[in-house]
Amino acid sequence: MQEKVKNRWLIAAAAVGIHLSIGSVYAWSVFTKPIINQFGWELSEVQFTFSIAILFLGLSAAFLGHYVEKHGPRKSGTLSSIFFGLGIAGSGLAIHLESLPLLYLCYGVLGGIGLGVGYITPVSTLVKWFPDRRGLATGLAIMGFGFASLVASPIMQALIVSVGIANTFFILGAVYFIVMFASAQYLSPPPQGWVPEGYSAEEGSGKQIKKDLCQLTANEAVKTRRFYLLWLMLFINVTCGIAVISVASPMAQEIVGMSAAAAATMVGLNGLFNGAGRIGWASLSDYIGRPNTYTAFFLIQLVLFFLLPNLTVPALFMGAMFIIMTCYGGGFASIPAYIADLFGTKQMGAIHGYILTAWAAAGLAGPIFAAWVRDSTGSYTGTMTVFAAMFAVALVISLIIRLDIKKLREQAKQNENSVELAS
């Protein structure tokens, strides 16, 4: 009996369900003040919870990528729902017991592991279901992660006021577990040899799916130069993006003279453009290609970071910030498709996990680096100039990687020709 093929758009919806849940980590700041007010803990102590979560996101994505490939998306999605649900609900217990170490363990470690596995699982599945529109598919899921804080923040705020911090964590833990667990049950890779409607797997009949340049395992991928070039491009994009996010409000007040309220509004809108950039740039990458997309990111940001300290008109300053945010989000959303283009889909989840260590490293380095340069130079001008220089380096890397791609294409052509001659 022929296997019933699942609806790939429902697979995409399930992926968005998981990413909308785990992306709520970006709304952590909603809890910061209420927790400080209730227990009198230091801001740095409470903020450290978020840092641990992002660190474990990167670590678990790297170390559990092979688990995702070996056991499939349904099992790894279920594992993610258990870790994330327990982590959030356990944070409620930590608040109830007034224990900061328990909060670190539950929200930071358990929640962070759920984050990492939950991040790579749907993305590696979607790439296989959308060989014709990889950018759009991964952009959809990762857009869910970017937009999650916009959805979660007001709900969290309302719950904290009405039922208290501990009960908010209990409720959210249960809701996220149900959404993620249900979504994970629908996830599965496409059947062997499946191609989208209107396309053909056979040469010369119907529309052809663009072939991957090669099919490598994760351990083979990390031995190639292009893996490290991709890693560096993501690291620079995320470091500069996170750094500018972390100082957006004070910088707007210092450079443009915006009021605290206006700067706060701009920060809120940053999230909107971050999310929009994820789907916009990733979809565009299907048409202009991933190499051109990344070159565009770095060229645009090189100019804008250089101009940013000199933009004294609030509208121009905000416009520049919003474009930077689209590039920041777009970098996250386009990387899975780029990985699949360069290494194939054989162990895409594991390779994506390894590449995401750049995010964990940048999450720690970006804000610290921005604060250090600001303190050393006494102004944001020096900070932005340093970041503009980093984008110049990233721009060069985005051009160097094209040499590797050209070489891969030539090898693939030679292999095809030798196969044809042999047959």
Side-chain angles (χ1 to χ4, degrees), residues 68 71 96 210 230 298 363:
V68 174
H71 297 282
H96 183 70
K210 197 176 166 189
L230 268 190
F298 303 137

Side-chain angles (χ1 to χ4, degrees), residues 252 254-258 307-318:
E254 186 179 303
I255 294 171
V256 196
M258 285 170 71
L307 290 176
L308 209 56
N310 306 305
L311 296 175
T312 51
V313 180
L316 287 176
F317 183 87
M318 286 197 293

Side-chain angles (χ1 to χ4, degrees), residues 342-364:
L342 295 185
F343 303 106
T345 56
K346 192 180 192 175
Q347 287 196 345
M348 199 237 139
I351 299 168
H352 190 203
Y354 286 161
I355 292 275
L356 285 181
T357 55
W359 182 8
L364 294 171

Side-chain angles (χ1 to χ4, degrees), residues 11 17 83 102 190 210 212 217 225 242 244 275-276 291 313 347 415:
I11 296 271
F83 269 100
L102 188 59
K210 197 176 166 189
D212 295 322
T217 64
R225 181 175 78 160
I242 282 183
V244 88
V313 180
Q347 287 196 345
N415 292 341

Side-chain angles (χ1 to χ4, degrees), residues 298-383:
F298 303 137
L299 203 52
I300 290 166
Q301 291 182 97
L302 169 57
V303 173
L304 291 180
F305 270 77
F306 191 73
L307 290 176
L308 209 56
N310 306 305
L311 296 175
T312 51
V313 180
L316 287 176
F317 183 87
M318 286 197 293
M321 280 294 294
F322 296 153
I323 294 168
I324 287 167
M325 282 301 101
T326 68
C327 295
Y328 171 73
F332 278 119
S334 306
I335 206 84
Y338 210 166
I339 292 166
D341 294 347
L342 295 185
F343 303 106
T345 56
K346 192 180 192 175
Q347 287 196 345
M348 199 237 139
I351 299 168
H352 190 203
Y354 286 161
I355 292 275
L356 285 181
T357 55
W359 182 8
L364 294 171
I368 294 166
F369 187 59
W372 176 75
V373 177
R374 168 74 176 82
D375 291 342
S376 303
T377 61
S379 77
Y380 288 110
T381 307
T383 316

Side-chain angles (χ1 to χ4, degrees), residues 239-251 267 270 321 325 363 365-371 380 383 387:
T239 298
C240 301
I242 282 183
V244 88
I245 288 168
S246 69
V247 297
S249 178
M251 189 164 67
V267 170
N270 275 350
M321 280 294 294
M325 282 301 101
I368 294 166
F369 187 59
Y380 288 110
T383 316
F387 289 150

